[in-house]
Amino acid sequence: FCTLELRGSFNSDIMNDNLFSDYSCLLSSCCKMSDLMSEKITIVEDLFKSREPVLEMKAIYFMTPTAKCVDAFIADFKPKPKYKAAYVYFTDYCPDDLFNKMRQACGKHIRVCKEINISFMPQEAQVFTCDNPGAFRSIYSPKSQDKMKTLETLANQLVTLCATLDEYPGIRYKKDGNMENAKVLAEMVDRKLAAHYQLDDSSKKKAQLLIVDRGFDPVTPILHELTYQAMAYDLIDIKNDTYKYKARDGLEKQALLNEDDMLWVNLRHQHIAEVSMVKEISASKKQPDGKITVSNLAQMMKKMPAFRKQMTEVCSKTYKTIHLQLAEDCMKHFANNVEKLCKAEQDLAVGADVEGLKVKDPMRTLLPVLLNPYSKHDKIRAVLLYIFSLNGTTEENLNKLIEHVKIEEEPEYIQNWKELGVSILTTPSFFSRKPTRRERSQEERYNLSRWIPTIKDVMEDVVENKLDTKEWPHQSECPAAWNGSGAVSARQKHKASTQDDRRTGSRLIIFVIGGISFSEMRCAYEVTRAMKTCEVIIGSSHITTPTVLLDDIKALSKGPMESFTLEVETKA
């Protein structure tokens, strides 16, 4: 039996109340307290908190290789040891000076000392982040003082991802005349991978790593999405994956939306019209054509109480209640204003209406949104889609739009997109070519969900070896064909899921600098399922939502914050 020492603060919603640690979020994404207990780990504690000695127990230390963590470790064995022995696991490379300091101070107590190279956060089966929302500001703010340091940190984290997946991928990046971030990061990762594998090419040609700037597709992260996960995180106040709601008895409850909830896993990528609860209602009261459409969802949701008993047979009572309530909350927003907004947004994003007719006058599509009492953020999103559809507008027109939205005091919501390399202002001589999109006219789609994230085109082009080498240069050698070794999930599963536990074929890793949307995350699963020969893993510095992204864009004009520096120090 032993104890596990962690540095930082634990999410008590994910594991039990005795667990504390920021890095334990990494641990909890891979296992639960019951899993640790089954391995005879009986106590999980914070390295930085005062603890009573337990001399008959061995201790496992899971920590970052920083001076603060090493000093706290040494304090556990000097002047008197608190535990029988120590088994040390660093999340990343430990500098020689720290290793030597630890060895000299209490080397006789250390039984194991390993670097496990896992300084990233597995969010879902095919999604990871670097758990660094502040990277957006550090990289894109014109006032940033730590841009290169941030890119260096992201490069180190990507290397640990590849090492954990046992991949030495060929690297490509999206070429952009205005932005160099993807190229710089690709060079850093290539150099660090070579050092990590010591120029051993035996593991190469099994995967590809694509790196792209957030400005590559500005449309997807600000659209109103109608798939369950994206819709919920956009419209409902969900913090740290925790959904708070009122139960029937009036008490406030909360639920964690993660992969332990298999109903959530099964529903999250489905269109709101296709979630299993709506399917049950549809089966009992079908439309004349046997289909259910988004336009009649609001009416059908009102009748949901009549089907609560029937729903008991579909899933467990607890999860059923949670998702019934969450779906209802989403539909309330949809009925209030989102439906009308979606039509305008889709026309502007796609450049054509439902009938496929080209939108000749985008302003005519935008005007109803500006004239209606929508929220400030909703109007900003529509204005941005209008500007993106034109590849920029004139300064005179931009000022009028800012005035219409009433953000004269905070025009940065729109103007600062230029820091991402997105065209906001244009001149008569300016010419910008829109990316060529894949032909999808034969695919069945909902009228209010016609836009397909650009990254999905890229994923499919890579798997089919059709990606343009001029737009996506090779930083290092890439596989000529997708026929590598078996690929496993980025996240260790402790229970069966709807996905195959192991896939055969190659692996594509995509990294978006500056945040990914839930829509783009969904694409990784869709392409993996459709292509079958390749597992797609997508990641970023963090996961973003439309509201968070707009606020981050606005904040780019501000100078560096001291509080951010302090936060980094406490998490080190």
Side-chain angles (χ1 to χ4, degrees), residues 30-41:
C30 302
C31 62
K32 297 185 294 186
M33 185 61 195
S34 59
D35 298 315
L36 296 177
M37 294 284 286
S38 68
E39 298 296 331
K40 298 183 179 181
I41 296 174

Side-chain angles (χ1 to χ4, degrees), residues 10 64 147 155 176 193 253 343 364 377 410 433 457 493 507 538:
F10 231 111
T64 49
K147 177 177 177 177
D176 190 322
L193 276 174
K253 294 190 176 183
K343 184 184 183 309
R364 203 169 178 180
H377 276 77
E410 42 192 5
R433 182 173 64 88
D457 288 359
K493 299 182 181 68
R507 182 180 276 134
I538 190 167

Side-chain angles (χ1 to χ4, degrees), residues 100-262:
N100 292 330
K101 180 179 181 181
M102 188 172 65
R103 183 183 61 180
Q104 292 169 7
C106 48
K108 65 180 181 179
H109 299 290
I110 301 173
R111 297 290 179 269
V112 171
C113 184
K114 287 187 175 181
E115 299 160 342
I116 59 176
N117 289 320
I118 188 166
S119 59
F120 61 91
M121 189 72 71
Q123 295 290 148
E124 293 180 2
Q126 292 173 230
V127 180
F128 71 94
T129 73
C130 295
D131 196 27
N132 187 3
F136 183 87
R137 188 164 170 182
S138 295
I139 293 171
Y140 293 112
S141 173
K143 300 180 181 179
S144 172
Q145 298 175 0
D146 60 348
K147 177 177 177 177
M148 295 306 294
K149 182 180 178 182
T150 301
L151 288 171
E152 191 88 26
T153 300
L154 294 178
N156 287 330
Q157 291 175 290
L158 280 172
V159 170
T160 70
L161 171 78
C162 295
T164 301
L165 296 175
D166 194 25
E167 296 281 11
Y168 188 175
I171 304 171
R172 300 174 74 171
Y173 61 91
K174 180 66 173 73
K175 189 175 183 180
D176 190 322
N178 300 320
M179 308 296 291
E180 292 286 317
N181 300 319
K183 183 176 187 295
V184 171
L185 183 58
E187 291 171 348
M188 288 180 174
V189 174
D190 186 36
R191 185 175 66 251
K192 292 175 184 292
L193 276 174
H196 179 81
Y197 285 104
Q198 297 182 338
L199 302 179
D200 177 11
D201 286 348
S202 61
S203 300
K204 212 163 185 176
K205 301 182 181 178
K206 295 180 182 178
Q208 286 198 51
L209 168 62
L210 267 59
I211 299 176
V212 60
D213 263 298
R214 177 63 273 172
F216 158 72
D217 176 10
V219 173
T220 297
I222 63 170
L223 274 175
H224 278 93
E225 252 271 8
L226 297 182
T227 49
Y228 190 36
Q229 182 183 41
M231 189 178 187
Y233 276 80
D234 183 10
L235 303 178
I236 312 300
D237 187 24
I238 298 174
K239 303 290 187 185
N240 298 319
D241 298 326
T242 302
Y243 166 56
K244 296 181 179 180
Y245 64 100
K246 277 195 176 182
R248 282 186 184 181
D249 54 14
L251 295 177
E252 279 208 0
K253 294 190 176 183
Q254 60 183 39
L256 196 60
L257 303 175
N258 65 9
E259 299 202 348
D260 290 329
D261 177 355
M262 292 311 299

